[in-house]
Amino acid sequence: MKETALQVVRKGRKFEQVVDGAWKVFLNEGFEGASVDDIARSANVSKATLYSYFPDKRLLFLEVARAECQRQANQAFSEIDFSCAVQEVLTQAATRMVYFFLSDFGQQMFRICVSECARFPELGKEFFASGPGLVQSRMAEFLGEATKRGEINVTDTMFAAAQFHELCKADLHTRVICGLQTQFTQAERDRVINGAVEMFMARYGV
Amino acid sequence: MKETALQVVRKGRKFEQVVDGAWKVFLNEGFEGASVDDIARSANVSKATLYSYFPDKRLLFLEVARAECQRQANQAFSEIDFSCAVQEVLTQAATRMVYFFLSDFGQQMFRICVSECARFPELGKEFFASGPGLVQSRMAEFLGEATKRGEINVTDTMFAAAQFHELCKADLHTRVICGLQTQFTQAERDRVINGAVEMFMARYGV
DNA sequence: TGAACTATAAACTGATCAGTTCATTTTCGG
DNA sequence: CCGAAAATGAACTGATCAGTTTATAGTTCA
Protein backbone atom coordinates (compact mmCIF):
# COMPACT_ATOMS: atom_id res chain seq x y z
CA MET A 1 0.00 0.00 0.00
CA LYS A 2 2.34 2.69 -1.21
CA GLU A 3 0.79 6.06 -0.56
CA THR A 4 2.13 9.56 -0.36
CA ALA A 5 2.26 10.98 3.13
CA LEU A 6 -0.73 13.25 2.73
CA GLN A 7 -2.83 10.73 0.80
CA VAL A 8 -4.13 13.29 -1.63
CA VAL A 9 -2.29 12.29 -4.75
CA ARG A 10 -4.48 10.89 -7.46
CA LYS A 11 -2.95 8.43 -9.90
CA GLY A 12 -3.76 8.30 -13.60
CA ARG A 13 -2.54 8.00 -17.13
CA LYS A 14 0.10 10.71 -17.06
CA PHE A 15 1.29 10.34 -13.52
CA GLU A 16 4.80 9.13 -14.28
CA GLN A 17 5.15 11.72 -17.00
CA VAL A 18 4.44 14.50 -14.53
CA VAL A 19 6.84 13.12 -11.95
CA ASP A 20 9.61 12.72 -14.50
CA GLY A 21 9.17 16.23 -15.83
CA ALA A 22 9.09 17.66 -12.34
CA TRP A 23 12.23 15.74 -11.46
CA LYS A 24 14.15 17.43 -14.25
CA VAL A 25 13.02 20.92 -13.44
CA PHE A 26 13.48 20.62 -9.68
CA LEU A 27 16.93 19.20 -10.26
CA ASN A 28 17.98 22.17 -12.35
CA GLU A 29 16.13 24.97 -10.62
CA GLY A 30 15.58 24.00 -7.01
CA PHE A 31 12.20 24.16 -5.32
CA GLU A 32 11.49 27.89 -5.34
CA GLY A 33 13.24 28.32 -8.66
CA ALA A 34 11.05 25.80 -10.43
CA SER A 35 7.80 27.33 -11.64
CA VAL A 36 4.79 25.10 -12.09
CA ASP A 37 4.51 26.34 -15.67
CA ASP A 38 8.06 25.16 -16.33
CA ILE A 39 7.25 21.78 -14.87
CA ALA A 40 4.08 21.38 -16.90
CA ARG A 41 5.98 22.31 -20.05
CA SER A 42 8.82 19.94 -19.25
CA ALA A 43 6.34 17.13 -18.59
CA ASN A 44 4.35 17.83 -21.79
CA VAL A 45 1.24 18.11 -19.77
CA SER A 46 -1.17 20.96 -19.14
CA LYS A 47 -1.03 22.80 -15.89
CA ALA A 48 -4.59 21.75 -15.15
CA THR A 49 -3.66 18.11 -15.54
CA LEU A 50 -0.73 18.53 -13.23
CA TYR A 51 -2.99 20.07 -10.59
CA SER A 52 -5.47 17.25 -11.04
CA TYR A 53 -2.77 14.86 -9.82
CA PHE A 54 -1.07 16.99 -7.21
CA PRO A 55 -3.06 19.53 -5.22
CA ASP A 56 0.05 21.62 -4.74
CA LYS A 57 3.66 22.07 -5.64
CA ARG A 58 4.98 20.75 -2.36
CA LEU A 59 3.27 17.42 -2.67
CA LEU A 60 4.63 17.08 -6.15
CA PHE A 61 8.13 17.69 -4.87
CA LEU A 62 7.57 15.25 -2.04
CA GLU A 63 6.67 12.56 -4.53
CA VAL A 64 9.70 13.29 -6.69
CA ALA A 65 12.07 13.23 -3.73
CA ARG A 66 10.60 10.08 -2.23
CA ALA A 67 10.68 8.12 -5.44
CA GLU A 68 14.19 9.05 -6.45
CA CYS A 69 15.77 8.63 -3.01
CA GLN A 70 14.28 5.20 -2.66
CA ARG A 71 15.37 4.25 -6.14
CA GLN A 72 18.95 5.29 -5.43
CA ALA A 73 19.08 3.65 -2.02
CA ASN A 74 17.71 0.37 -3.33
CA GLN A 75 20.13 0.36 -6.20
CA ALA A 76 23.05 0.96 -3.85
CA PHE A 77 21.96 -1.82 -1.50
CA SER A 78 21.51 -4.29 -4.29
CA GLU A 79 25.00 -3.61 -5.59
CA ILE A 80 26.84 -3.88 -2.30
CA ASP A 81 27.97 -7.37 -1.36
CA PHE A 82 27.28 -7.54 2.35
CA SER A 83 28.94 -10.93 2.66
CA CYS A 84 32.42 -9.45 2.17
CA ALA A 85 34.78 -8.56 4.99
CA VAL A 86 33.76 -5.52 7.02
CA GLN A 87 36.47 -3.33 5.62
CA GLU A 88 35.43 -4.17 2.08
CA VAL A 89 31.73 -3.53 2.73
CA LEU A 90 32.53 -0.20 4.36
CA THR A 91 34.67 0.78 1.40
CA GLN A 92 31.91 -0.08 -1.04
CA ALA A 93 29.34 1.78 1.00
CA ALA A 94 31.58 4.83 1.39
CA THR A 95 32.25 4.87 -2.34
CA ARG A 96 28.52 4.94 -3.08
CA MET A 97 27.87 7.64 -0.55
CA VAL A 98 30.66 9.88 -1.76
CA TYR A 99 29.44 9.55 -5.33
CA PHE A 100 25.90 10.27 -4.27
CA PHE A 101 26.83 13.36 -2.25
CA LEU A 102 28.80 14.77 -5.15
CA SER A 103 26.24 13.95 -7.84
CA ASP A 104 23.93 16.62 -9.22
CA PHE A 105 20.93 14.88 -7.78
CA GLY A 106 22.53 14.36 -4.38
CA GLN A 107 23.58 17.98 -4.17
CA GLN A 108 20.33 19.49 -5.32
CA MET A 109 18.21 17.19 -3.18
CA PHE A 110 20.31 18.10 -0.19
CA ARG A 111 19.97 21.80 -0.94
CA ILE A 112 16.25 21.69 -1.40
CA CYS A 113 15.59 19.56 1.64
CA VAL A 114 17.78 21.60 3.92
CA SER A 115 16.15 24.83 2.87
CA GLU A 116 12.55 23.65 2.79
CA CYS A 117 12.43 21.36 5.82
CA ALA A 118 12.01 24.26 8.20
CA ARG A 119 8.78 25.36 6.52
CA PHE A 120 7.65 21.96 5.35
CA PRO A 121 8.03 19.33 8.06
CA GLU A 122 6.54 16.52 6.03
CA LEU A 123 9.38 16.83 3.55
CA GLY A 124 12.02 16.46 6.22
CA LYS A 125 10.48 13.26 7.47
CA GLU A 126 10.10 11.76 4.01
CA PHE A 127 13.60 12.76 3.01
CA PHE A 128 15.14 11.32 6.14
CA ALA A 129 13.14 8.11 5.93
CA SER A 130 13.98 7.42 2.31
CA GLY A 131 17.53 8.83 2.42
CA PRO A 132 19.90 9.05 5.38
CA GLY A 133 17.61 7.10 7.68
CA LEU A 134 17.24 4.22 5.29
CA VAL A 135 20.97 4.02 4.63
CA GLN A 136 21.79 4.23 8.31
CA SER A 137 19.31 1.53 9.27
CA ARG A 138 20.71 -0.86 6.70
CA MET A 139 24.27 -0.07 7.78
CA ALA A 140 23.37 -0.49 11.42
CA GLU A 141 21.92 -3.89 10.67
CA PHE A 142 25.14 -4.90 8.95
CA LEU A 143 27.27 -3.57 11.80
CA GLY A 144 25.22 -5.58 14.26
CA GLU A 145 25.76 -8.77 12.30
CA ALA A 146 29.48 -8.12 11.91
CA THR A 147 29.72 -7.50 15.64
CA LYS A 148 28.02 -10.83 16.32
CA ARG A 149 30.55 -12.51 14.05
CA GLY A 150 33.29 -10.84 16.10
CA GLU A 151 34.71 -8.88 13.19
CA ILE A 152 34.16 -5.52 14.83
CA ASN A 153 32.88 -4.28 18.15
CA VAL A 154 29.97 -1.86 17.89
CA THR A 155 27.47 -1.40 20.70
CA ASP A 156 25.36 1.51 19.47
CA THR A 157 24.92 0.43 15.86
CA MET A 158 22.63 3.26 14.74
CA PHE A 159 24.97 5.87 16.10
CA ALA A 160 28.03 4.25 14.57
CA ALA A 161 26.23 4.15 11.23
CA ALA A 162 25.47 7.86 11.57
CA GLN A 163 29.12 8.57 12.31
CA PHE A 164 30.22 6.65 9.27
CA HIS A 165 27.67 8.39 7.10
CA GLU A 166 28.95 11.73 8.33
CA LEU A 167 32.60 10.82 7.82
CA CYS A 168 31.85 10.24 4.16
CA LYS A 169 30.97 13.91 3.85
CA ALA A 170 34.27 15.18 5.23
CA ASP A 171 35.86 17.97 3.24
CA LEU A 172 34.46 17.28 -0.24
CA HIS A 173 30.80 17.56 0.63
CA THR A 174 31.35 20.84 2.43
CA ARG A 175 33.33 22.15 -0.52
CA VAL A 176 30.77 21.17 -3.10
CA ILE A 177 27.88 22.54 -1.08
CA CYS A 178 29.62 25.88 -0.58
CA GLY A 179 30.38 26.00 -4.28
CA LEU A 180 34.14 26.11 -3.76
CA GLN A 181 34.77 23.18 -6.03
CA THR A 182 32.64 21.12 -8.40
CA GLN A 183 35.01 18.61 -9.93
CA PHE A 184 36.92 16.06 -7.90
CA THR A 185 39.70 13.70 -8.86
CA GLN A 186 39.61 10.03 -7.98
CA ALA A 187 42.47 10.67 -5.55
CA GLU A 188 40.38 13.23 -3.68
CA ARG A 189 37.46 10.84 -3.48
CA ASP A 190 39.70 7.99 -2.35
CA ARG A 191 41.17 10.08 0.40
CA VAL A 192 37.72 10.59 1.88
CA ILE A 193 36.59 7.01 1.32
CA ASN A 194 39.73 5.46 2.79
CA GLY A 195 39.87 8.08 5.52
CA ALA A 196 36.36 7.18 6.63
CA VAL A 197 37.03 3.44 6.60
CA GLU A 198 40.35 3.78 8.43
CA MET A 199 38.89 5.96 11.11
CA PHE A 200 35.91 3.70 11.57
CA MET A 201 38.07 0.60 11.83
CA ALA A 202 40.48 2.31 14.22
CA ARG A 203 37.59 3.01 16.55
CA TYR A 204 35.47 -0.12 16.17
CA GLY A 205 37.91 -2.75 14.88
CA VAL A 206 38.66 -5.67 17.19
CA MET B 1 41.34 46.46 4.93
CA LYS B 2 38.24 44.37 5.51
CA GLU B 3 35.80 45.00 2.73
CA THR B 4 32.74 43.15 1.57
CA ALA B 5 33.39 40.96 -1.38
CA LEU B 6 31.72 43.16 -3.94
CA GLN B 7 33.04 46.47 -2.57
CA VAL B 8 29.81 48.31 -3.05
CA VAL B 9 28.65 48.72 0.50
CA ARG B 10 28.57 52.29 1.71
CA LYS B 11 28.97 52.98 5.42
CA GLY B 12 27.04 55.63 7.31
CA ARG B 13 25.13 56.63 10.39
CA LYS B 14 22.61 53.80 10.40
CA PHE B 15 24.75 51.02 9.02
CA GLU B 16 24.82 48.87 12.14
CA GLN B 17 21.13 49.43 12.67
CA VAL B 18 20.36 48.02 9.23
CA VAL B 19 22.61 45.01 9.71
CA ASP B 20 21.12 44.22 13.10
CA GLY B 21 17.57 44.47 11.82
CA ALA B 22 18.38 42.32 8.83
CA TRP B 23 20.02 39.76 11.08
CA LYS B 24 16.79 39.30 13.03
CA VAL B 25 14.58 38.95 10.01
CA PHE B 26 16.87 36.64 8.07
CA LEU B 27 17.22 34.48 11.16
CA ASN B 28 13.48 34.06 11.48
CA GLU B 29 12.43 33.98 7.86
CA GLY B 30 15.34 32.72 5.79
CA PHE B 31 16.63 34.48 2.72
CA GLU B 32 13.70 34.22 0.33
CA GLY B 33 11.23 34.48 3.18
CA ALA B 34 12.57 37.80 4.40
CA SER B 35 11.07 40.69 2.47
CA VAL B 36 13.05 43.90 2.24
CA ASP B 37 10.06 45.75 3.67
CA ASP B 38 10.16 43.50 6.74
CA ILE B 39 13.83 44.17 7.16
CA ALA B 40 13.46 47.93 6.86
CA ARG B 41 10.65 47.84 9.41
CA SER B 42 12.64 45.67 11.79
CA ALA B 43 15.64 48.00 11.46
CA ASN B 44 13.55 51.16 11.96
CA VAL B 45 14.90 52.54 8.76
CA SER B 46 13.28 53.48 5.48
CA LYS B 47 13.58 51.17 2.55
CA ALA B 48 15.33 53.90 0.59
CA THR B 49 17.95 54.24 3.32
CA LEU B 50 18.52 50.52 3.31
CA TYR B 51 19.04 50.58 -0.43
CA SER B 52 21.44 53.48 -0.08
CA TYR B 53 23.70 51.23 1.99
CA PHE B 54 23.23 47.96 0.19
CA PRO B 55 22.57 47.92 -3.55
CA ASP B 56 20.72 44.66 -3.19
CA LYS B 57 19.34 42.10 -0.82
CA ARG B 58 22.09 39.58 -1.41
CA LEU B 59 24.86 41.93 -0.40
CA LEU B 60 22.97 42.76 2.74
CA PHE B 61 22.72 39.09 3.59
CA LEU B 62 26.37 38.60 2.81
CA GLU B 63 27.30 41.29 5.30
CA VAL B 64 25.05 39.82 7.98
CA ALA B 65 26.44 36.32 7.51
CA ARG B 66 30.04 37.42 7.41
CA ALA B 67 29.82 39.54 10.52
CA GLU B 68 27.99 36.99 12.64
CA CYS B 69 30.04 33.96 11.62
CA GLN B 70 33.24 35.75 12.38
CA ARG B 71 31.92 36.96 15.68
CA GLN B 72 30.94 33.45 16.72
CA ALA B 73 34.18 31.87 15.55
CA ASN B 74 36.31 34.45 17.33
CA GLN B 75 34.36 34.03 20.51
CA ALA B 76 34.76 30.26 20.40
CA PHE B 77 38.50 30.50 19.79
CA SER B 78 39.01 32.94 22.61
CA GLU B 79 37.22 30.66 25.05
CA ILE B 80 39.02 27.44 24.18
CA ASP B 81 42.22 26.81 26.10
CA PHE B 82 44.55 25.42 23.47
CA SER B 83 47.24 24.66 26.04
CA CYS B 84 45.27 21.77 27.52
CA ALA B 85 45.81 18.14 26.60
CA VAL B 86 44.63 17.17 23.13
CA GLN B 87 41.64 15.22 24.36
CA GLU B 88 40.50 18.15 26.45
CA VAL B 89 40.87 20.66 23.60
CA LEU B 90 38.96 18.37 21.26
CA THR B 91 36.19 17.98 23.79
CA GLN B 92 35.89 21.74 24.22
CA ALA B 93 35.91 22.30 20.48
CA ALA B 94 33.34 19.57 19.88
CA THR B 95 31.12 21.01 22.56
CA ARG B 96 31.16 24.43 20.88
CA MET B 97 30.49 22.98 17.49
CA VAL B 98 27.59 20.85 18.62
CA TYR B 99 26.01 23.82 20.35
CA PHE B 100 26.54 25.97 17.30
CA PHE B 101 25.04 23.43 14.90
CA LEU B 102 21.96 23.05 17.08
CA SER B 103 21.48 26.78 17.73
CA ASP B 104 18.86 28.79 15.86
CA PHE B 105 21.53 30.86 14.20
CA GLY B 106 23.65 27.88 13.26
CA GLN B 107 20.68 26.07 11.79
CA GLN B 108 19.27 28.98 9.86
CA MET B 109 22.65 30.08 8.54
CA PHE B 110 23.29 26.56 7.37
CA ARG B 111 19.91 26.37 5.67
CA ILE B 112 20.28 29.67 3.90
CA CYS B 113 23.84 29.08 2.78
CA VAL B 114 23.15 25.60 1.50
CA SER B 115 20.17 26.72 -0.50
CA GLU B 116 21.60 29.96 -1.87
CA CYS B 117 25.18 28.96 -2.60
CA ALA B 118 24.28 27.34 -5.89
CA ARG B 119 22.89 30.62 -7.28
CA PHE B 120 25.11 32.98 -5.34
CA PRO B 121 28.73 31.81 -5.41
CA GLU B 122 30.09 34.77 -3.49
CA LEU B 123 28.02 33.71 -0.49
CA GLY B 124 29.46 30.22 -0.45
CA LYS B 125 32.98 31.54 -0.40
CA GLU B 126 32.30 34.06 2.37
CA PHE B 127 30.42 31.50 4.43
CA PHE B 128 33.13 28.91 4.13
CA ALA B 129 35.91 31.38 4.85
CA SER B 130 34.31 32.81 7.96
CA GLY B 131 32.71 29.55 9.13
CA PRO B 132 33.86 25.98 8.51
CA GLY B 133 37.08 27.04 6.81
CA LEU B 134 38.12 29.28 9.67
CA VAL B 135 37.37 26.66 12.28
CA GLN B 136 39.14 23.96 10.33
CA SER B 137 42.25 26.07 9.78
CA ARG B 138 42.53 26.85 13.45
CA MET B 139 41.99 23.22 14.37
CA ALA B 140 44.53 22.08 11.79
CA GLU B 141 47.07 24.45 13.28
CA PHE B 142 46.44 22.97 16.70
CA LEU B 143 46.66 19.41 15.41
CA GLY B 144 50.00 20.23 13.79
CA GLU B 145 51.40 21.56 17.04
CA ALA B 146 50.13 18.60 19.03
CA THR B 147 51.69 16.26 16.49
CA LYS B 148 55.02 18.05 16.89
CA ARG B 149 54.75 17.60 20.64
CA GLY B 150 54.15 13.89 20.02
CA GLU B 151 50.70 13.85 21.59
CA ILE B 152 48.99 12.66 18.44
CA ASN B 153 50.03 11.61 14.98
CA VAL B 154 48.35 13.56 12.20
CA THR B 155 49.93 13.98 8.79
CA ASP B 156 47.17 15.70 6.80
CA THR B 157 46.06 18.22 9.40
CA MET B 158 43.45 20.03 7.30
CA PHE B 159 41.77 16.79 6.36
CA ALA B 160 41.78 15.52 9.93
CA ALA B 161 40.23 18.80 11.05
CA ALA B 162 37.53 18.38 8.41
CA GLN B 163 36.83 14.86 9.63
CA PHE B 164 36.52 16.02 13.20
CA HIS B 165 34.25 18.87 12.18
CA GLU B 166 32.05 16.40 10.36
CA LEU B 167 31.97 13.92 13.21
CA CYS B 168 30.48 16.62 15.40
CA LYS B 169 27.45 16.66 13.12
CA ALA B 170 26.73 12.96 13.43
CA ASP B 171 23.11 12.08 14.09
CA LEU B 172 21.92 15.25 15.84
CA HIS B 173 22.69 17.69 13.07
CA THR B 174 20.97 15.51 10.51
CA ARG B 175 17.96 15.21 12.77
CA VAL B 176 17.66 18.89 13.46
CA ILE B 177 18.12 19.82 9.82
CA CYS B 178 15.44 17.38 8.71
CA GLY B 179 13.15 18.74 11.41
CA LEU B 180 12.80 15.38 13.15
CA GLN B 181 13.81 16.77 16.49
CA THR B 182 14.46 20.24 17.87
CA GLN B 183 15.30 19.72 21.53
CA PHE B 184 18.21 17.63 22.69
CA THR B 185 19.17 16.40 26.12
CA GLN B 186 22.66 16.85 27.49
CA ALA B 187 23.11 13.10 27.24
CA GLU B 188 22.38 13.21 23.52
CA ARG B 189 24.86 16.01 23.01
CA ASP B 190 27.50 14.26 25.11
CA ARG B 191 27.16 11.11 23.11
CA VAL B 192 28.06 13.00 19.95
CA ILE B 193 30.82 15.04 21.58
CA ASN B 194 32.46 12.06 23.24
CA GLY B 195 31.85 9.87 20.23
CA ALA B 196 33.72 12.33 18.04
CA VAL B 197 36.64 12.66 20.43
CA GLU B 198 36.92 8.92 20.98
CA MET B 199 36.86 8.17 17.31
CA PHE B 200 39.39 10.85 16.53
CA MET B 201 41.76 9.68 19.25
CA ALA B 202 41.38 6.04 18.23
CA ARG B 203 42.58 6.98 14.76
CA TYR B 204 45.18 9.62 15.46
CA GLY B 205 46.24 8.95 19.05
CA VAL B 206 49.80 7.73 19.62
C1' DT C 1 22.51 80.33 10.08
C1' DG C 2 22.66 78.05 6.00
C1' DA C 3 24.41 74.73 2.70
C1' DA C 4 25.34 69.97 1.96
C1' DC C 5 24.37 65.70 3.19
C1' DT C 6 21.35 62.00 4.87
C1' DA C 7 16.97 59.97 5.92
C1' DT C 8 11.90 59.35 5.30
C1' DA C 9 7.27 57.82 3.82
C1' DA C 10 4.58 56.32 0.50
C1' DA C 11 3.31 55.49 -3.81
C1' DC C 12 4.69 53.16 -7.95
C1' DT C 13 6.74 49.82 -11.55
C1' DG C 14 7.30 45.70 -13.41
C1' DA C 15 7.77 41.19 -12.92
C1' DT C 16 6.86 36.49 -11.16
C1' DC C 17 4.12 32.90 -9.82
C1' DA C 18 0.72 29.49 -7.49
C1' DG C 19 -3.45 28.05 -8.26
C1' DT C 20 -8.33 28.38 -10.77
C1' DT C 21 -11.71 28.30 -14.39
C1' DC C 22 -13.91 26.80 -18.47
C1' DA C 23 -15.06 25.88 -23.01
C1' DT C 24 -13.15 22.55 -26.14
C1' DT C 25 -10.87 18.36 -27.63
C1' DT C 26 -8.85 13.76 -27.01
C1' DT C 27 -8.81 9.14 -25.30
C1' DC C 28 -10.50 4.70 -24.41
C1' DG C 29 -13.33 0.98 -22.43
C1' DG C 30 -17.62 -1.29 -23.28
C1' DC D 1 -18.85 3.87 -32.23
C1' DC D 2 -20.66 6.15 -28.29
C1' DG D 3 -20.37 8.39 -24.03
C1' DA D 4 -17.89 9.32 -19.91
C1' DA D 5 -13.68 10.47 -18.11
C1' DA D 6 -9.37 12.66 -18.78
C1' DA D 7 -6.63 16.19 -20.80
C1' DT D 8 -5.93 20.76 -22.91
C1' DG D 9 -4.68 25.65 -23.31
C1' DA D 10 -5.26 29.96 -22.47
C1' DA D 11 -6.82 33.45 -20.02
C1' DC D 12 -7.48 35.11 -15.32
C1' DT D 13 -7.03 36.11 -10.15
C1' DG D 14 -4.80 37.64 -6.46
C1' DA D 15 -0.86 38.07 -4.13
C1' DT D 16 4.05 39.01 -3.26
C1' DC D 17 8.07 41.37 -3.71
C1' DA D 18 12.61 43.68 -5.32
C1' DG D 19 13.90 47.83 -6.40
C1' DT D 20 12.87 53.07 -7.82
C1' DT D 21 11.22 57.63 -7.42
C1' DT D 22 10.05 61.94 -5.39
C1' DA D 23 8.89 65.51 -2.63
C1' DT D 24 9.76 66.48 2.18
C1' DA D 25 12.14 66.69 6.51
C1' DG D 26 15.94 66.13 9.69
C1' DT D 27 21.05 66.34 10.79
C1' DT D 28 25.72 68.11 10.75
C1' DC D 29 29.25 71.22 10.66
C1' DA D 30 31.67 75.25 9.01
Side-chain angles (χ1 to χ4, degrees), chain B residues 63-159:
Chain B
E63 179 58 28
V64 169
R66 200 191 50 73
E68 181 66 12
C69 284
Q70 246 172 27
R71 202 187 63 74
Q72 297 236 6
N74 287 334
Q75 192 194 328
F77 291 152
S78 73
E79 290 176 7
I80 292 178
D81 181 357
F82 285 97
S83 67
C84 292
V86 172
Q87 185 143 0
E88 176 58 24
V89 174
L90 292 179
T91 304
Q92 285 185 32
T95 304
R96 303 258 161 214
M97 287 197 261
V98 168
Y99 272 88
F100 179 78
F101 293 143
L102 302 183
S103 73
D104 283 346
F105 177 79
Q107 263 180 69
Q108 191 65 272
M109 190 57 44
F110 185 76
R111 280 190 213 283
I112 298 177
C113 290
V114 168
S115 75
E116 302 301 324
C117 281
R119 290 171 192 277
F120 187 13
E122 207 52 55
L123 174 61
K125 282 165 196 137
E126 275 285 338
F127 173 67
F128 185 84
S130 55
L134 190 60
V135 169
Q136 285 172 29
S137 298
R138 187 66 191 83
M139 275 298 291
E141 191 189 316
F142 169 75
L143 296 175
E145 288 161 5
T147 297
K148 268 192 202 126
R149 290 196 302 269
E151 296 178 52
I152 48 177
N153 181 22
V154 178
T155 47
D156 190 340
T157 55
M158 274 303 280
F159 181 63

